[in-house]
Amino acid sequence: MKIEDKKRKIIELIDESKDNDRKIAFYSDDKVVEILDRLYRKWEENNRVGIPLDYATPEEIDTLYNLAVKYSSSPRGRAYIEFVRSAYSRKKHVEEEEDYEKGKKKMLRKFFGF
């Protein structure tokens, strides 16, 4: 499939979908977020000419296309479950990081006596 066809299919499967669970799951996927952050920066740098997908590499289009197909073919509600699981995982990672920082500060206070 050609790059332009994959771009159209991504838009069709996700943006034009009436299934909000699909959209939530796709746009909260870590890979999608990483790619789209870069694409939107590039699009902004180019005075918003075209659409953000126009600035994607063939590999990024392939990744976005494959994820769009994955989330669009998931049974209804399954995409939302994936979103919740992903959000919980990120939240847990942030909490662990915060606990580490608090522990480090506590240790430094104890060590330096303040």
Side-chain angles (χ1 to χ4, degrees), residues 12-30:
E12 176 188 317
L13 292 173
I14 303 301
D15 293 331
E16 295 175 354
S17 172
K18 295 191 185 315
D19 183 347
N20 288 330
D21 292 351
R22 178 186 301 179
K23 291 178 184 184
I24 290 169
F26 179 79
Y27 284 113
S28 65
D29 185 286
D30 290 337

Side-chain angles (χ1 to χ4, degrees), residues 29-76:
D29 185 286
D30 290 337
K31 290 178 190 171
V32 173
V33 170
E34 180 183 329
I35 292 170
L36 290 182
D37 280 349
R38 190 193 76 70
L39 297 182
Y40 273 92
R41 273 194 309 276
K42 197 78 171 159
W43 182 61
E44 289 285 337
E45 290 169 5
N46 286 283
N47 299 313
R48 297 182 176 185
V49 173
I51 61 172
L53 285 177
D54 292 339
Y55 299 92
T57 65
E59 293 79 22
E60 289 170 329
I61 292 294
D62 285 341
T63 298
L64 294 172
Y65 173 79
N66 289 333
L67 289 168
V69 169
K70 172 188 167 185
Y71 289 119
S72 67
S73 64
S74 294
R76 185 143 173 83

